[in-house]
Amino acid sequence: MGAIYRREIGAFFTSSIAYVFLSVFYIITGFFFFLVNLGNSSADLSFVCLTMFIISILLIPLLTMRLFSEEKKQRTEQGLLTAPVPLTSIVLGKYFAALTVYAIAASIMFLYGVMLSLFGTVAWLTLLSNFIALLFVGAAFIAVGLFISALTENQVVAAIGGVASLLAFLLVHFAASLVGNYASLGWLQSILNFLSFYSRYYEFTCGIFNLSSVLFFVSVAVLFNFFTVRVFEKRRWS
Amino acid sequence: MIEVRNLTKHYGDKKAVNDISFTVEDGEILGFLGPNGAGKSTTMNMLTGYISSTSGQVLINGTDILEDPIKAKACIGYLPEIPPLYLDMTVKSYLNFVFDLKKCKLPRRSHLRDVLKLCKIDDVENRLIKNLSKGYKQRVGLAQALIGNPPVLILDEPTVGLDPKQMVEIRTLIKKLGKNHTVILSSHILSEIQMVCDRVIIINHGVVAANDTATRLSEKVSTDHRIIVRMEGERVAILQAIRALDGIKYVRADMEREPGIWEYEIEAEPGRDIRRDINRLARENEWNILMLKTMEMTLEDIFLKITMGEHIELGKGAAK
């Protein structure tokens, strides 16, 4: 796992992907930080955290699109799959490499906190819980993106598929509120609410650290990494 | 040592590989020969655990590739048809990655140096792989297979894209490696197989068509009863005299090689050695024999015959 992790980290930073990802992430969140916090003299970072969640949906597929599709296209996966390493460590090596780059992006939040602390008091605990939540949401999103990358050999398809699936996770929230208009569909609403990444994440931005939500995000991550392993397992046996 | 037992692979209805069995002993170089789409690469992919078999068994040094893939794969160095190279890495960092991937226990620095030297890529170690020529890429591919010094080497067309000089070098290298490794090598180039391999397996339509040493294969199909003689003397008289011999099927002289000297192609009944008779004739008539050779078949001829579906008597244990 270590070898693959190190190679992927290297590949992120020798290609332009990590730089594009990080700079776009910083520019957009920085813009809202400037507008909402610095412009309005507010120490409440919840809105910035929310924008981080939204742009993660658009940017995380950029991180994951290449990871397996490129291997398939360049036929380098043959080298990995015939090496004496279990499939799980191949998948996890790539997974944690993407998660690392994502964590670097998300940790910009602490810089914003430091900047705000120059002007007033910052709720550091809320900020920390937001960071943790963002990390776990990202962990789930990356697992989904990685899974989609394993399904195709075209990076563009992997990217668009990734954005579409992550948007679907977001839309679950709006579907839930729509369904809420009909009393008879209450059961559906509670299922959709359970699956809603947005409302689970929203709690964190309000300063509520909900352990069951963390568990939910971790479960999604584990599930999709498991699916990715199955994709390779299946291909080998078909 | 590699043992393959009744290996079969189906893709849907299509049988890519059908009931192949063979063994490769330690220190043996096995050549894998067959036309495109015969199932060479499929077989190699099954041997290395890249794809599974529909049925049958592959044992690498006694370990089943499907039951304990990690242990079996650790014994194999594999160069696939398209070398698995990361184009955005330098040769050195790529080989370092492979070293880590294979969880190599050898001393890193000296082992990498040895492999770089062996494959003659030490002059490009700091260049990006994408900027290398095809021949260099192929050699980097070979280098990654050699990392960790695995006892079994499986090389899918290792000399593709190399220039003639490099080809000779790689062949010499493979031959050298074959002394203490078990090697399977596939190729289209028959002379290469003949030169490098101890034994040849010809595979066609997913089945083993022949399995023997290259020399024995050509001996078995070459024949004493078909010879070519270049003889000095009057053409018609010679033809008549040869025709008069016992058991001649046909004789032909359609090429005048040197002024007044014709080449005669003679076929006798199978199993009849007519070389002495020809000699006697020449002595009696004072014709000069300038050349006499049996029509030995090259591996090329055998290959063509087998893959064109012609039936050849290969004798016991050879044909399947």
Side-chain angles (χ1 to χ4, degrees), chain A residues 1-8 11 14-15 66 70-72 74-87 89-90 94 235-238, chain B residues 9-11 45 48-53 65-66 69-71 73-74 76 78 80-89 97 100-103 108 144:
Chain A
M1 191 170 107
I4 293 167
Y5 174 81
R6 282 192 296 278
R7 200 207 83 77
E8 287 304 333
T14 49
S15 71
R66 213 196 86 255
E70 173 116 316
E71 298 263 358
K72 206 193 278 185
Q74 306 284 357
R75 301 283 286 269
T76 46
E77 63 166 15
Q78 217 164 352
L80 291 183
L81 296 177
T82 55
V85 282
L87 277 174
S89 43
I90 297 173
K94 285 174 178 285
R235 188 164 346 130
R236 195 153 68 104
W237 287 91
S238 62
Chain B
K9 180 74 184 176
H10 295 195
Y11 289 116
N45 282 337
T48 53
Y50 178 56
I51 54 173
S52 67
S53 51
I65 189 87
L66 292 178
I70 306 293
K71 192 178 163 206
K73 283 172 183 173
I76 303 176
Y78 181 34
E81 208 173 351
I82 299 165
L85 306 175
Y86 291 101
L87 302 179
D88 53 356
M89 293 174 100
F97 161 68
D100 290 336
L101 189 69
K102 291 187 177 178
K103 299 191 186 74
R108 179 187 296 262
Q144 67 76 33

Side-chain angles (χ1 to χ4, degrees), chain B residues 299-316:
Chain B
L299 202 49
E300 210 122 347
D301 299 321
I302 303 167
F303 177 72
L304 282 175
K305 277 203 160 187
I306 289 175
T307 52
M308 306 275 266
E310 216 172 297
H311 182 71
I312 305 184
E313 287 293 327
L314 286 170
K316 199 176 142 235

Side-chain angles (χ1 to χ4, degrees), chain B residues 3-280:
Chain B
E3 283 176 84
V4 176
R5 293 182 193 148
N6 309 99
L7 201 63
T8 302
K9 180 74 184 176
H10 295 195
Y11 289 116
D13 290 341
K14 194 178 171 286
K15 280 185 183 172
V17 171
N18 194 6
D19 200 23
I20 283 185
S21 302
F22 60 87
T23 37
V24 195
E25 301 293 334
D26 288 337
E28 192 180 21
I29 308 181
L30 175 80
F32 230 53
L33 208 58
N36 287 324
K40 289 187 308 253
S41 291
T42 309
T43 308
M44 289 189 149
N45 282 337
M46 281 192 280
L47 293 184
T48 53
Y50 178 56
I51 54 173
S52 67
S53 51
T54 308
S55 64
Q57 207 179 14
V58 176
L59 298 175
I60 308 286
N61 285 348
T63 315
D64 190 307
I65 189 87
L66 292 178
E67 268 167 28
D68 193 351
I70 306 293
K71 192 178 163 206
K73 283 172 183 173
C75 302
I76 303 176
Y78 181 34
L79 170 64
E81 208 173 351
I82 299 165
L85 306 175
Y86 291 101
L87 302 179
D88 53 356
M89 293 174 100
T90 63
V91 172
K92 205 173 176 181
S93 58
Y94 171 66
L95 292 180
N96 262 308
F97 161 68
V98 174
F99 188 93
D100 290 336
L101 189 69
K102 291 187 177 178
K103 299 191 186 74
C104 228
K105 298 282 190 296
L106 299 162
R108 179 187 296 262
R109 200 175 269 268
S110 61
H111 180 55
L112 287 181
R113 187 110 323 267
D114 290 347
V115 171
L116 283 167
K117 272 237 173 68
L118 208 56
C119 299
K120 296 208 163 101
I121 47 174
D122 41 349
D123 50 334
V124 294
E125 60 177 358
N126 289 321
R127 281 175 57 184
L128 286 179
I129 293 177
K130 67 176 160 203
N131 294 335
L132 296 180
S133 69
K134 178 107 170 55
Y136 267 113
K137 278 181 188 158
Q138 192 69 24
R139 284 187 279 169
V140 176
L142 185 63
Q144 67 76 33
L146 294 180
I147 292 230
N149 206 5
V152 174
L153 289 174
I154 297 182
L155 312 171
D156 202 346
E157 300 186 3
T159 56
V160 161
L162 303 182
D163 66 39
K165 183 167 163 283
Q166 294 167 338
M167 270 188 191
V168 173
E169 284 170 4
I170 292 288
R171 278 177 205 155
T172 324
L173 173 61
I174 292 171
K175 213 153 183 169
K176 205 162 97 192
L177 290 168
K179 289 196 180 107
N180 41 23
H181 292 74
T182 310
V183 183
I184 296 186
L185 159 98
S186 85
S187 182
H188 294 302
I189 306 166
L190 300 137
S191 55
E192 177 172 296
I193 297 254
Q194 215 154 11
M195 225 178 285
V196 175
C197 299
D198 304 319
R199 202 148 55 85
V200 185
I201 284 184
I202 298 180
I203 175 170
N204 193 29
H205 297 304
V207 294
V208 174
N211 177 358
D212 212 330
T213 62
T215 11
R216 286 244 299 281
L217 267 183
S218 54
E219 265 172 18
K220 271 177 185 145
V221 283
S222 80
T223 42
D224 293 333
H225 61 276
R226 284 168 71 188
I227 59 174
I228 292 176
V229 188
R230 200 177 287 183
M231 222 183 317
E232 197 172 26
E234 203 209 327
R235 178 163 166 255
V236 183
I238 294 177
L239 281 174
Q240 270 171 0
I242 295 177
R243 270 200 200 104
L245 283 174
D246 248 6
I248 298 289
K249 272 168 93 177
Y250 77 81
V251 55
R252 217 168 49 195
D254 21 51
M255 246 187 287
E256 192 175 15
R257 291 289 183 170
E258 292 161 54
I261 302 168
W262 290 73
E263 205 166 273
Y264 303 86
E265 201 184 313
I266 309 164
E267 185 176 344
E269 273 156 10
R272 226 187 110 82
D273 189 349
I274 50 165
R275 286 173 301 179
R276 285 169 194 83
D277 300 325
I278 300 290
N279 240 313
R280 191 172 41 76

Side-chain angles (χ1 to χ4, degrees), chain A residues 30-43 112 115-116 119:
Chain A
F31 173 74
F32 284 106
F33 173 69
F34 176 77
L35 210 68
V36 176
N37 295 93
L38 297 183
N40 292 333
S41 315
S42 154
Y112 296 156
M115 282 159 94
L116 288 180
F119 306 106

